[in-house]
Amino acid sequence: RDYFHLGEENPPLADLYGTWAAVDPRLAEVATRLPGIRVMRQTPVECLFSFICSSNNNIKRIELMLGRLREAYGRPLGTVILPDGSALAMHSFPTVDALSRATEADLREMGLGYRAKYITATAQLLKERGGEAYLDDLRRRPRREVHEALIGFAGVGPKVADCVALFCLDQADCIPVDVHVWRIATRDYDADGRLKAAKSLTPTIYELVGDRFRERFGRHAGWAHALLFAAELPRLRGRLPEHIVEEQLAFKEEEKRRKAEDKERIKAERLLRQQQKQETPKKTPKKRGAPKKKTKG
């Protein structure tokens, strides 16, 4: 019950779906086709380190990294026999103490790359702050305070902080924002045009994107965001109404066009800076004259 957020502190998912659908026609259509999508209440330590490994990474490599961390520093749980007859050794996720004993060199050798320094630094700082108990206490703190606490860890930016807050720290109104989510909010929740007018995803725009979801969906806006985000996944597209799929495909093409334009703009700006640097005349150093001889008075 705890893992699936089935406690009395949260309304039944069906009630939330109904509340969200009443204020958002698009979500209303999505909700009827994707019932049962909910946010899990994950273990804080595992969730934090998993999202540090997830940044700029793909699912297959994330699974490989986390599996190696479990095998090297976790507690053996037993062996599972797979359908093909092979045996798979299972391990728990490492404790904060276990991870704090890992060295950057060890983790790099395991294939964690530049994330190795983030894992070791975060493990050390988390241990100093009280370990798992510190993260558990964040479940009772306000959203902004939780966000600021999390971005103090190495490898944790605004989006990772909000992912951790949403998926394990009971911050149901956290909205993890990236460029894709910003553009979705611009498409669906930008009546005043402020999001469209923004040139980049600044901290102010990041907060504004989250506010657009919170204003519409309330205390469980992060859960509503998860449902809408799931609806954008290609593997679930076949369940959606045809007109929404067409809209998504058109939106995807528009994103490709914008990415190409941004790439060309950045390239042009870089070339312009290089050209300006080359055209700027170098200052010739002033020649110093011979030192004056002191005369005796």
Side-chain angles (χ1 to χ4, degrees), residues 69-90:
L69 283 176
R70 289 189 183 93
E71 186 176 348
Y73 301 103
R75 178 172 53 86
L77 298 175
T79 302
V80 174
I81 304 301
L82 301 178
D84 62 2
S86 61
L88 177 64
M90 305 294 291

Short mmCIF file of all heavy atoms in Angstrom, two decimals, residues 69-90:
data_model
loop_
_atom_site.label_atom_id
_atom_site.label_comp_id
_atom_site.label_asym_id
_atom_site.label_seq_id
_atom_site.Cartn_x
_atom_site.Cartn_y
_atom_site.Cartn_z
N LEU A 69 26.20 -1.47 -9.20
CA LEU A 69 26.25 -0.91 -7.84
C LEU A 69 25.68 -1.91 -6.83
O LEU A 69 26.25 -2.10 -5.75
CB LEU A 69 25.46 0.40 -7.77
CG LEU A 69 26.12 1.65 -8.34
CD1 LEU A 69 25.16 2.84 -8.26
CD2 LEU A 69 27.42 1.98 -7.61
N ARG A 70 24.56 -2.53 -7.16
CA ARG A 70 23.95 -3.52 -6.27
C ARG A 70 24.89 -4.70 -6.03
O ARG A 70 25.07 -5.16 -4.91
CB ARG A 70 22.63 -4.03 -6.86
CG ARG A 70 21.49 -3.03 -6.84
CD ARG A 70 20.19 -3.71 -7.24
NE ARG A 70 19.09 -2.77 -7.29
CZ ARG A 70 18.71 -2.13 -8.38
NH1 ARG A 70 19.34 -2.35 -9.53
NH2 ARG A 70 17.70 -1.29 -8.35
N GLU A 71 25.45 -5.20 -7.12
CA GLU A 71 26.31 -6.38 -7.02
C GLU A 71 27.56 -6.09 -6.20
O GLU A 71 28.01 -6.94 -5.41
CB GLU A 71 26.70 -6.84 -8.42
CG GLU A 71 27.49 -8.15 -8.44
CD GLU A 71 27.78 -8.62 -9.84
OE1 GLU A 71 27.19 -8.08 -10.80
OE2 GLU A 71 28.59 -9.56 -9.98
N ALA A 72 28.13 -4.89 -6.35
CA ALA A 72 29.38 -4.56 -5.66
C ALA A 72 29.18 -4.16 -4.21
O ALA A 72 30.01 -4.47 -3.35
CB ALA A 72 30.11 -3.45 -6.42
N TYR A 73 28.07 -3.44 -3.92
CA TYR A 73 27.92 -2.86 -2.58
C TYR A 73 26.62 -3.25 -1.87
O TYR A 73 26.43 -2.88 -0.71
CB TYR A 73 27.99 -1.32 -2.68
CG TYR A 73 29.28 -0.83 -3.28
CD1 TYR A 73 29.35 -0.39 -4.61
CD2 TYR A 73 30.46 -0.83 -2.53
CE1 TYR A 73 30.53 0.05 -5.17
CE2 TYR A 73 31.65 -0.38 -3.09
CZ TYR A 73 31.69 0.05 -4.40
OH TYR A 73 32.87 0.48 -4.95
N GLY A 74 25.75 -3.97 -2.55
CA GLY A 74 24.48 -4.36 -1.93
C GLY A 74 24.57 -5.67 -1.16
O GLY A 74 25.59 -6.36 -1.17
N ARG A 75 23.48 -6.01 -0.49
CA ARG A 75 23.42 -7.24 0.30
C ARG A 75 22.80 -8.36 -0.54
O ARG A 75 21.77 -8.16 -1.17
CB ARG A 75 22.56 -6.98 1.55
CG ARG A 75 22.35 -8.18 2.46
CD ARG A 75 21.66 -7.74 3.74
NE ARG A 75 20.45 -7.00 3.47
CZ ARG A 75 19.25 -7.57 3.26
NH1 ARG A 75 19.13 -8.90 3.26
NH2 ARG A 75 18.18 -6.82 3.05
N PRO A 76 23.42 -9.55 -0.57
CA PRO A 76 22.86 -10.67 -1.35
C PRO A 76 21.46 -11.03 -0.84
O PRO A 76 21.23 -11.15 0.35
CB PRO A 76 23.86 -11.80 -1.10
CG PRO A 76 25.12 -11.13 -0.70
CD PRO A 76 24.71 -9.91 0.06
N LEU A 77 20.53 -11.21 -1.78
CA LEU A 77 19.16 -11.55 -1.43
C LEU A 77 18.77 -12.97 -1.82
O LEU A 77 17.76 -13.49 -1.36
CB LEU A 77 18.19 -10.56 -2.11
CG LEU A 77 18.33 -9.09 -1.71
CD1 LEU A 77 17.39 -8.24 -2.55
CD2 LEU A 77 18.04 -8.90 -0.23
N GLY A 78 19.55 -13.58 -2.69
CA GLY A 78 19.23 -14.93 -3.15
C GLY A 78 19.44 -15.05 -4.64
O GLY A 78 19.94 -14.13 -5.30
N THR A 79 19.03 -16.17 -5.19
CA THR A 79 19.22 -16.45 -6.61
C THR A 79 17.88 -16.78 -7.26
O THR A 79 17.08 -17.52 -6.69
CB THR A 79 20.20 -17.62 -6.80
OG1 THR A 79 21.45 -17.29 -6.17
CG2 THR A 79 20.45 -17.89 -8.28
N VAL A 80 17.67 -16.23 -8.43
CA VAL A 80 16.45 -16.49 -9.20
C VAL A 80 16.82 -17.29 -10.44
O VAL A 80 17.79 -16.96 -11.14
CB VAL A 80 15.77 -15.16 -9.62
CG1 VAL A 80 14.59 -15.44 -10.54
CG2 VAL A 80 15.33 -14.38 -8.39
N ILE A 81 16.06 -18.37 -10.70
CA ILE A 81 16.29 -19.17 -11.89
C ILE A 81 15.43 -18.61 -13.02
O ILE A 81 14.20 -18.57 -12.92
CB ILE A 81 15.96 -20.65 -11.64
CG1 ILE A 81 16.76 -21.19 -10.44
CG2 ILE A 81 16.25 -21.47 -12.89
CD1 ILE A 81 18.26 -21.07 -10.60
N LEU A 82 16.06 -18.19 -14.10
CA LEU A 82 15.36 -17.59 -15.23
C LEU A 82 14.76 -18.67 -16.13
O LEU A 82 15.13 -19.85 -16.03
CB LEU A 82 16.34 -16.72 -16.02
CG LEU A 82 16.99 -15.57 -15.22
CD1 LEU A 82 17.98 -14.82 -16.09
CD2 LEU A 82 15.93 -14.62 -14.68
N PRO A 83 13.82 -18.31 -17.00
CA PRO A 83 13.17 -19.29 -17.89
C PRO A 83 14.14 -20.11 -18.73
O PRO A 83 13.84 -21.26 -19.07
CB PRO A 83 12.28 -18.41 -18.78
CG PRO A 83 11.96 -17.23 -17.93
CD PRO A 83 13.20 -16.97 -17.14
N ASP A 84 15.30 -19.54 -19.06
CA ASP A 84 16.26 -20.29 -19.87
C ASP A 84 17.14 -21.22 -19.03
O ASP A 84 18.05 -21.87 -19.54
CB ASP A 84 17.14 -19.34 -20.68
CG ASP A 84 17.99 -18.42 -19.80
OD1 ASP A 84 17.92 -18.55 -18.56
OD2 ASP A 84 18.70 -17.57 -20.35
N GLY A 85 16.89 -21.27 -17.71
CA GLY A 85 17.63 -22.15 -16.83
C GLY A 85 18.84 -21.52 -16.17
O GLY A 85 19.44 -22.11 -15.26
N SER A 86 19.20 -20.31 -16.60
CA SER A 86 20.35 -19.63 -15.98
C SER A 86 19.96 -19.05 -14.63
O SER A 86 18.79 -18.79 -14.36
CB SER A 86 20.88 -18.53 -16.91
OG SER A 86 19.87 -17.55 -17.13
N ALA A 87 20.99 -18.83 -13.80
CA ALA A 87 20.76 -18.30 -12.45
C ALA A 87 21.13 -16.82 -12.40
O ALA A 87 22.13 -16.40 -12.97
CB ALA A 87 21.57 -19.08 -11.44
N LEU A 88 20.29 -16.04 -11.72
CA LEU A 88 20.54 -14.61 -11.56
C LEU A 88 20.63 -14.28 -10.08
O LEU A 88 19.66 -14.46 -9.33
CB LEU A 88 19.42 -13.80 -12.21
CG LEU A 88 19.51 -12.27 -12.06
CD1 LEU A 88 20.75 -11.73 -12.78
CD2 LEU A 88 18.26 -11.59 -12.61
N ALA A 89 21.79 -13.81 -9.64
CA ALA A 89 21.99 -13.43 -8.24
C ALA A 89 21.35 -12.06 -7.99
O ALA A 89 21.58 -11.12 -8.75
CB ALA A 89 23.47 -13.39 -7.90
N MET A 90 20.56 -11.95 -6.93
CA MET A 90 19.85 -10.71 -6.61
C MET A 90 20.52 -10.04 -5.41
O MET A 90 20.96 -10.71 -4.47
CB MET A 90 18.39 -11.00 -6.29
CG MET A 90 17.65 -11.77 -7.37
SD MET A 90 17.47 -10.81 -8.89
CE MET A 90 16.32 -9.54 -8.36
#
